[in-house]
Amino acid sequence: AACYLPTTIPGIHDSKQIKTEANREELYEEIVKSPHVRYAIAVLDAARIDEINILAATMEGMRMASEALMDGTGFGDVAGMEREGCYVI
């Protein structure tokens, strides 16, 4: 998976700082209601993982998700989206 998270959502600068489930739930609500969050997900099946090994499959999945996010085929239109002020995860 890959996503853009706007830097304007308070509290998402460091996930290790999220100490409680209540904080996590509050951030979740803020993230999902933000119109500026974009994400893409890649899925590789077991046969592909067996063929190229888990590390290579992880890297392939990250590449696929990142490319989908960058070219606008992920969820949310990022074509022409201003990327300054966003975390790319």
Side-chain angles (χ1 to χ4, degrees), residues 3-8 36 81-89:
C3 70
Y4 287 129
L5 290 174
T7 57
T8 56
H36 303 293
M81 179 181 159
E82 180 60 49
R83 290 183 180 87
E84 186 175 326
C86 288
Y87 296 108
V88 180
I89 300 172

Side-chain angles (χ1 to χ4, degrees), residues 15-32:
S15 63
K16 294 180 288 305
Q17 300 292 327
I18 306 169
K19 302 294 185 187
T20 68
E21 190 64 27
N23 292 129
R24 193 175 321 278
E25 290 297 322
E26 288 173 22
L27 282 173
Y28 172 81
E29 294 300 325
E30 290 298 315
I31 290 168
V32 297

Side-chain angles (χ1 to χ4, degrees), residues 1 42 44 48-49 52-65:
L44 286 87
R48 181 65 176 156
I49 295 169
I52 63 173
N53 79 47
I54 188 68
L55 178 59
T58 300
M59 300 302 283
E60 183 174 305
M62 288 190 295
R63 179 188 50 75
M64 292 167 60

